[in-house]
Amino acid sequence: MTTSNSSPIQFAYWVPNVSGGLVISKIEQRTNWEHLYNRQLAQTAENVGFDYALTQIRFTAGYGAENQHESVTFSQYLLSVTERLKVIAALLPGPWNPVLAAKQIATISKLYNARIAVNVVSGWFRSEFKAIGEPWLDHEERYLRSEEFIRCLQGIWSQPAFNFSGDFYRFRDYVLKPKPLEPFPEIFQGGSSRAARDMASRVSDWYFTNGGSVEYIQKQIEDIRTKAQLNDHQVKIGVNGFAIARDSEQEANAVLQDILDHSDIDAVKGFHHEVQNAGNASPEKEGNWAKSTLEDLVQYNDGFKTNLIGTPLQIAQRIIEYKKVGVNLMLLGFLHVQEELEYFGKNVIPLVRQLENELGL
């Protein structure tokens, strides 16, 4: 099945605003969580064809992330040192109230020409919630809260006076001025479960899902877009992938094997225990990480499953296969972030554009 998707596929990268890299491995990861490194990285990204940067949200240490810069503040910094790049700030309902988030993001939108977006994270790290004194809701409740959070953001931004009465949030004739610039900030959300797909089909602009095969992602897309059509709603799809682009397939596969051979098994098992709270907690046991092996979890968001590993042409062809089934954006992680992001932008993205033109996609 080929899905009509005529706009160029877009590219985002994981911002290393937390320490430790994106694989749970003792292999060297040339990256840096500090602001000057990230300034250069963001400027490189927009110059080689990336559309978005996604900042990460963490409040406590764990799995290599010993240090964490706050997502919204860091996103604003990246906007201040770039000209075209859109930056997605992560928000976690619970620690954030929608009125604070709406006002923060509206101000940033005004300051930086509507280049700010948000990623509403429903939560997977139970120990983190315990550490900061936030109640840990069950899987379905987390998504119900996130949906209310999104509805509140959208209503506060778009309505002259906002009223809302939900299970988690209440507003009475709330007026936000100034509003964000139009188009209003895009709202991303993550997930793979039925609850996540249902929420996306009702309220979100974008749906992020963990890595997976083309066939697996296609099934999610068909489910979301069928439901979205019934809701008179449209949603775009982003897929996580860990890219290992090298001049030869053999070299790329050797890098992957090296990562796996040096994986931190104890840390991977600890991460596996935590994410099962998110994955297997869904009633149908199909949430993020529910079917991930320990090897899959060496990359936090199942990025190896997307198989963006090989030569630039092989990776570009693989990306086109995802576009054919309806994927709108590839969210990418890298081992040695600065040099590999630049290599990807200069060597893979042009091939993707060439294939899009040749195939009329």
Side-chain angles (χ1 to χ4, degrees):
M1 174 182 174
T2 300
T3 301
S4 177
N5 188 11
S6 58
S7 298
I9 195 166
Q10 295 182 288
F11 294 93
Y13 73 95
W14 285 97
V15 173
N17 58 299
V18 303
S19 61
L22 290 178
V23 293
I24 309 175
S25 178
K26 297 175 183 177
I27 193 173
E28 179 189 12
Q29 299 183 65
R30 290 193 292 277
T31 183
N32 192 300
W33 59 283
E34 287 287 17
H35 69 287
L36 293 179
Y37 178 91
N38 273 282
R39 172 179 179 160
Q40 182 181 2
L41 182 63
Q43 291 170 343
T44 298
E46 75 172 0
N47 287 333
V48 298
F50 281 79
D51 305 281
Y52 294 90
L54 174 66
T55 55
Q56 304 174 57
I57 186 166
R58 290 289 290 274
F59 286 97
T60 61
Y63 317 110
E66 299 304 312
N67 299 285
Q68 317 96 28
H69 285 302
E70 191 277 314
S71 177
V72 176
T73 310
F74 209 76
S75 296
Q76 184 172 355
Y77 170 72
L78 295 181
L79 289 167
S80 75
V81 297
T82 54
E83 297 178 356
R84 301 177 304 279
L85 190 70
K86 296 179 182 179
V87 183
I88 310 165
L91 301 172
L92 184 59
W96 262 277
N97 181 286
V99 69
L100 171 61
K103 200 163 186 67
Q104 281 180 306
I105 300 303
T107 297
I108 296 171
S109 173
K110 295 283 285 187
L111 293 174
Y112 297 105
N113 197 29
R115 289 191 289 129
I116 186 71
V118 298
N119 180 34
V120 176
V121 180
S122 295
W124 61 268
F125 197 177
R126 184 173 185 173
S127 297
E128 184 172 59
F129 274 67
K130 181 179 179 181
I132 63 176
E134 285 287 336
W136 178 251
L137 306 179
D138 71 24
H139 183 273
E140 300 296 287
E141 287 181 312
R142 293 200 300 276
Y143 279 97
L144 289 172
R145 178 171 65 178
S146 291
E147 181 167 340
E148 285 193 12
F149 189 94
I150 291 171
R151 289 186 185 278
C152 289
L153 290 182
Q154 292 169 332
I156 291 169
W157 288 336
S158 63
Q159 296 178 22
F162 179 60
N163 289 278
F164 187 83
S165 180
D167 293 327
F168 299 94
Y169 307 111
R170 288 174 172 78
F171 289 87
R172 180 178 297 174
D173 293 328
Y174 176 64
V175 178
L176 175 71
K177 290 185 178 181
K179 306 288 190 188
L181 295 179
E182 295 188 34
F184 292 137
E186 295 173 295
I187 296 180
F188 293 72
Q189 64 146 109
S192 294
S193 66
R194 187 265 317 147
R197 297 194 300 273
D198 288 356
M199 184 175 87
S201 75
R202 291 189 291 263
V203 297
S204 302
D205 299 309
W206 285 87
Y207 171 82
F208 272 142
T209 188
N210 275 4
S213 67
V214 172
E215 295 75 20
Y216 172 75
I217 298 300
Q218 181 178 359
K219 289 178 182 177
Q220 289 193 54
I221 293 172
E222 290 174 347
D223 181 56
I224 291 169
R225 291 194 166 143
T226 297
K227 292 172 179 175
Q229 187 173 15
L230 294 174
N231 296 325
D232 195 26
H233 181 65
Q234 292 185 332
V235 59
K236 297 179 181 179
I237 309 297
V239 175
N240 183 70
F242 191 81
I244 305 177
R246 296 295 188 271
D247 292 339
S248 72
E249 182 180 10
Q250 182 179 14
E251 184 184 0
N253 286 329
V255 173
L256 173 61
Q257 193 60 51
D258 201 19
I259 293 170
L260 297 175
D261 288 344
H262 292 87
S263 60
D264 187 336
I265 297 299
D266 290 338
V268 173
K269 288 180 178 178
F271 180 64
H272 179 264
H273 174 75
E274 284 288 349
V275 299
Q276 291 307 295
N277 290 315
N280 278 330
S282 64
E284 67 284 356
K285 299 190 182 300
E286 290 183 358
N288 276 354
W289 306 289
K291 298 179 181 179
S292 302
T293 67
L294 288 178
E295 185 173 283
D296 294 329
L297 292 175
V298 173
Q299 204 290 308
Y300 291 100
N301 291 93
D302 286 339
F304 298 149
K305 288 184 178 181
T306 313
N307 195 25
L308 303 183
I309 299 163
T311 66
L313 180 58
Q314 289 172 321
I315 293 173
Q317 291 170 333
R318 180 76 170 173
I319 290 170
I320 290 295
E321 293 307 306
Y322 282 99
K323 183 177 182 182
K324 286 179 179 178
V325 299
V327 172
N328 305 99
L329 179 146
M330 300 302 302
L331 170 60
L332 301 172
F334 302 95
L335 183 65
H336 306 309
V337 182
Q338 175 74 36
E339 56 258 52
E340 293 195 29
L341 178 148
E342 185 171 11
Y343 181 92
F344 188 98
K346 290 181 176 180
N347 294 280
V348 179
I349 293 179
L351 288 176
V352 172
R353 301 295 177 233
Q354 179 181 330
L355 290 171
E356 287 175 325
N357 289 331
E358 290 175 356
L359 298 173
L361 293 175

